[in-house]
Every structure is written in C-alpha cells, then in structure tokens.
Amino acid sequence: MGSIGTETAFEAVARARALEATGRSVIHLEIGEPDFDTPDNVRDAAKRALDAGLTHYPPFAGLPDLRSAIASDAAARRRMSVAPEDVFVTVGGKGVMVYAILALVDPGDEVIVPDPGYPIYESLTRFLDATPVALPIRMANDFQVDVDELEALITPRTKLVVINSPANPTGGVLTRADIERIAALAERHDLAVLSDEIYSRILYDGAEHVSIASLPGMARRTIVLDGFSKTYAMTGWRLGYAIVPEWLRQAYGTLIINTVSGATSFAQAGAIEAITGPQAEVEAMVEEFGARRDLVVDGLNAIPGIECRRPQGAFYVFPSIAGTGLDGHTFADRLLQEAGVCVLAGTSFGAVGLDHIRISYANSRENLAEAIRRIEAFVRGG
Ligand SMILES: Cc1ncc(COP(=O)(O)O)c(C=O)c1O
C-alpha cells in the first residue's frame, strides 16, 4: 500500500465537516458533484424496477437495454459506431479507469497522465509498480495539452496515455486539432488511450466535445470513460460505463466478474431512463452551471493576487493564487480555518498545480457569492 495515492477531496470534506461540527460555518467548494438531485423520472424508473423485482444479479457487463442505449447515444453524440457488446457498465466512472489500468499496465510500464489531473490515474499506476509520467497542463497555455511536449514524453515503455476533456480540475476542453494530433501520436507509437469523457455533456459557449475514439482508426486503441454521476446528478448511484475495443472485451468482463460481479440492477434501470428519457433537466443544469461559472470567474478576477481563466467545460476553476504570496496548500488550509471556505490545493492534482487552488462551483449562486466575499476578505486581510 506504500505506493498508492488518494483523492484528497474526500479528506478535505472530512476536515471541513469536523470544523462544522464545532459550530463554524463552512462553504463547500471542494467536492466535484452536482448539488442538484437526480431528476424525478430517473428516480421513478429505479423505484419501479425495484418494485418489479429487479433485485437479482445483473448480467456482469450490464443490462442489455442499457448497453444498447449507451451504444446508440455514442453513435448520436460521439459520432462513432459502437456495438452494444463494446459497452461495459461499471460501478462509477472510476471503475472504467481501474479496469483500463489493471488490464493494460504491467510493472515498469509508463503511463502519461495530465498534471494537474484526476489523481487516481497516477495513484493506480504507481500501485501497479508502473511509472506515471506527468504531462504538464499549464494556465499559460490555457490549460491545453502541448502536443509537442507530449510527444517528447513518449518512450518505448509508454503503454497508455490518459486524456480528460473537459478536464478536472481545470475545466479545459481540448480542441479538435489537438485531439487529431494526439491521435496521430497514438497511431505512430502504437499506444492505447484512456479518454475520460465524464464531463462531455457539461460544456459552455458552444464548445464542441470531440471524442478521440471517433477519429479514424482510434476506436481500436481507445477506452472511452463516461458515466451518469455528473451529467444526471447521479453520483450516489455509482454508475459509469466503458466503451472498449473488441480486444479488451474479455478483459473488462473478467475484471468485472473478479471485482464487483456487475453494477446494481435497479440503478441500471434508472440509467436507462436517464439516457433515453427527456434531457431538459440536463440542459437546465448546464445552463445554471454556466451562470455560476461566470459569477465565480468574475468574482475571483476582481480579487488582487488571483487570476482565473474562464473554462469551457466541467464545473471547476483552477485559479492561480501566486499573486497572494501563498502557495495553494497554505492558501487552502488557511482559507478553511480563517474564512470557512473549503477548496482544494492545486497540488492535490499534481505538482504543476503548486500555485493554484481548485474550486468546484457545483453550489448555489448564493453560497458562491458568499464564498467570493469571504475569499476576498481573506486575501485583503492578508
Ligand atoms: C475526471 C473524472 N473522472 C472520473 C470520475 C469518477 O466518476 P464516478 O463518480 O462516476 O466514479 C471523476 C469524479 O470526480 C472525475 O472528475
């Protein structure tokens, strides 16, 4: 266990809750989950399934109707042709990344992971005695991948490249041109790609989601990770899915059987309704997130010492707080203790985030406005 990492958001929540238990008011901007409830139609579908007795083991790869619905959704939204047999329903989107790394990575291999990036890619890679290689994602580059830098990191030991667009923690959205260049690299160096697209429906300003798997030849080397947690406010349902190339079907099936046997049956019935039913609530949530993004970005940029880009996706901002003279870790610690606002240090996502904090704006506008007031008073008070 010496080499495994963690996701510090869960620990930060615990610290903030402990502070609240002493009577302090804390605004939670640390956790990456929609504050909305799961839409009623989805909850009703799961309740109906429960009442109808969908309480037994599901087929290990997922309910056939859900796998078909996901395949149709991928055809419509990602413009790629997917057979239902390529789809595996997992416990959370996280299940997809666990299996990708378990299936593909051997000790001594190298995995290129975004820095800053979701910490579990790196953690699991280390756990398997493989080497995570950090691909810097810098604010100065508008949180885009520098494709030349990526190419320079590829060695004969590179097995897998992880990309995540829209990204946690930066909100950055990769351009089609860069995704095409990354695909060309994967082809040239014969690499597999884990494409974490869990925020693919949470986009602003008309930004386009391009799945690398939809580019010519790429479906056979890409694992697409998506799920229900973020898009449909279903974090507690623990449902995600993988779209895998044919040569990985066996591995995904075997790993699911070895670990969880399958994802909760009646929850999957809710997911069928989520993906095939009316999408108006998803659109309303994204519109609201967009308004909150503007509130937070404008508010932060009005504070001396803070610089914040306006990201085109997900529900995070990753401002630089270098101008305050504090590093992200000290800033986050003191902000919680002194001002009652819980954010994450940028280094929770990799070393490149040293002078940054991550804010999740999945909170009410009222709480966000109050948080901005508190952050401003904290920074001005020095
Ligand atoms: C980039 C990214 N991938 C995957 C996940 C995992 O999603 P799930 O909760 O469905 O396991 C998260 C959750 O925060 C995430 O931010």
Side-chain angles (χ1 to χ4, degrees), residues 101-102 104-110 125-131 157 159:
I101 294 171
L102 285 177
L104 293 174
V105 178
D106 290 321
D109 285 345
E110 292 174 2
T125 301
R126 280 194 204 287
F127 187 55
L128 295 179
D129 285 332
T131 306
R157 308 185 102 172
K159 192 59 95 47

Side-chain angles (χ1 to χ4, degrees), residues 66 70 226-235 239-241 271 274-275:
L66 181 54
I70 291 167
D226 203 340
F228 298 88
S229 300
K230 318 287 177 175
T231 307
Y232 299 99
M234 290 171 68
T235 46
L239 283 179
Y241 59 85
I275 202 165

Side-chain angles (χ1 to χ4, degrees), residues 160-179:
L160 178 68
V161 175
V162 181
I163 59 174
N164 171 217
S165 176
N168 177 9
T170 64
V173 176
L174 295 178
T175 62
R176 177 179 285 278
D178 282 350
I179 290 182

Side-chain angles (χ1 to χ4, degrees), residues 7 32 91-95 97 118 121 164 168 196 198-199 225 227-230 235 238-240 316:
E7 197 177 340
V91 176
K94 214 174 230 174
M97 73 183 74
Y118 192 61
Y121 317 129
N164 171 217
N168 177 9
D196 185 338
I198 198 133
Y199 297 101
L225 180 161
F228 298 88
S229 300
K230 318 287 177 175
T235 46
R238 309 305 307 126
L239 283 179
Y316 308 108

